[in-house]
């Protein structure tokens, strides 16, 4: 049997870019955090880096798919300048008040399960770094190891928790 891949899933706001207290609606407000060398270390250890983020602001009409794509281009560009490549960015565009229930809005594990399926991941060797309890709930439900950080905490401080 070919060996499965491993990944570090990453929440977006408060982990990769500064937490603004609510959805980031404009690319001008999107401030990338300096976790370049921490993520490069994980990448060099063979982890795929996959973003998993709730974007219920789409369902609320606070920003468009186009604006979100701009933010994600910015995120990828800045990290790529430091040698870090994100394999994929999964986002939930739903919000229960506007689009009803879905299976991907965290604390549901849908975004992680999509990543596990698409990239043939071994969940037990994969991690999810997030700054909210709902991220940890999603991690547990998907069978991956959850790592709870404070918002905007440098990821270098939790590298030791990843084998
Ligand atoms: Mg967050
Ligand atoms: Zn969803």
């Amino acid at each position: 049997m070919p060996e499965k891949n491993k990944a570090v899933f990453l929440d977006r706001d408060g982990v990769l870019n500064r937490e603004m207290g609510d959805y980031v609606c404009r690319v001008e407000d999107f401030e990338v955090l300096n976790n370049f060398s921490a993520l490069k270390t994980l990448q060099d250890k063979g982890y795929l880096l996959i973003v998993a983020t709730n974007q219920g602001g789409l369902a609320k009409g606070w920003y468009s798919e186009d604006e979100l794509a701009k933010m994600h281009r910015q995120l990828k560009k800045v990290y790529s300048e430091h040698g870090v490549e994100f394999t994929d960015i999964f986002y939930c565009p739903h919000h229960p008040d506007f689009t009803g229930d879905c299976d991907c809005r965290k604390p549901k594990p849908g975004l992680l399960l999509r990543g596990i399926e698409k990239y043939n991941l071994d969940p037990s060797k994969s991690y999810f770094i997030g700054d909210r309890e709902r991220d940890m709930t999603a991690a547990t439900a998907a069978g991956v190891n959850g790592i709870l950080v404070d918002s905007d905490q440098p990821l270098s401080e939790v590298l030791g928790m990843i084998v």
Side-chain angles (χ1 to χ4, degrees):
M1 274 254 298
E3 207 175 322
K4 292 200 167 200
N5 297 309
K6 58 186 183 177
V8 176
F9 289 96
L10 299 146
D11 175 44
R12 201 195 74 176
D13 299 356
V15 174
L16 297 175
N17 54 283
R18 190 166 302 285
E19 172 62 54
M20 304 293 288
D22 211 331
Y23 301 110
V24 185
C25 297
R26 307 185 312 159
V27 70
E28 299 92 296
D29 298 329
F30 192 84
E31 185 186 341
V32 175
L33 294 169
N34 178 351
N35 284 311
F36 309 126
S37 87
L39 293 192
K40 183 74 167 60
T41 299
L42 294 174
Q43 181 175 280
D44 290 345
K45 282 178 151 185
Y47 287 97
L48 303 179
L49 303 174
I50 300 175
V51 181
T53 176
N54 282 357
Q55 292 301 325
L58 287 170
K60 296 182 175 187
W62 287 7
Y63 47 88
S64 65
E65 296 267 0
D66 270 3
E67 194 69 14
L68 184 67
K70 271 189 216 162
M71 292 185 234
H72 289 173
R73 270 201 298 278
Q74 170 81 355
L75 180 67
K76 286 191 204 164
K77 175 171 171 280
V78 174
Y79 271 91
S80 134
E81 285 164 0
H82 293 84
V84 175
E85 304 296 334
F86 296 109
T87 295
D88 215 328
I89 300 180
F90 292 106
Y91 61 89
C92 164
H94 311 112
H95 190 283
D97 295 348
F98 295 82
T99 48
D101 277 340
C102 67
D103 65 2
C104 49
R105 182 177 165 83
K106 300 174 290 184
K108 300 265 184 67
L111 300 175
L112 304 181
L113 295 177
R114 274 163 68 191
I116 289 166
E117 168 81 20
K118 184 169 178 185
Y119 296 104
N120 188 32
L121 303 177
D122 181 343
S124 72
K125 293 193 175 125
S126 298
Y127 297 81
F128 184 22
I129 303 177
D131 62 346
R132 296 290 165 87
E133 274 305 326
R134 66 175 177 229
D135 297 319
M136 301 302 101
T137 305
T140 303
V144 315
N145 305 286
I147 297 178
L148 182 62
V149 293
D150 293 328
S151 296
D152 307 338
Q153 182 182 351
L155 298 186
S156 55
E157 294 176 6
V158 298
L159 278 188
M161 297 175 73
I162 297 178
V163 183

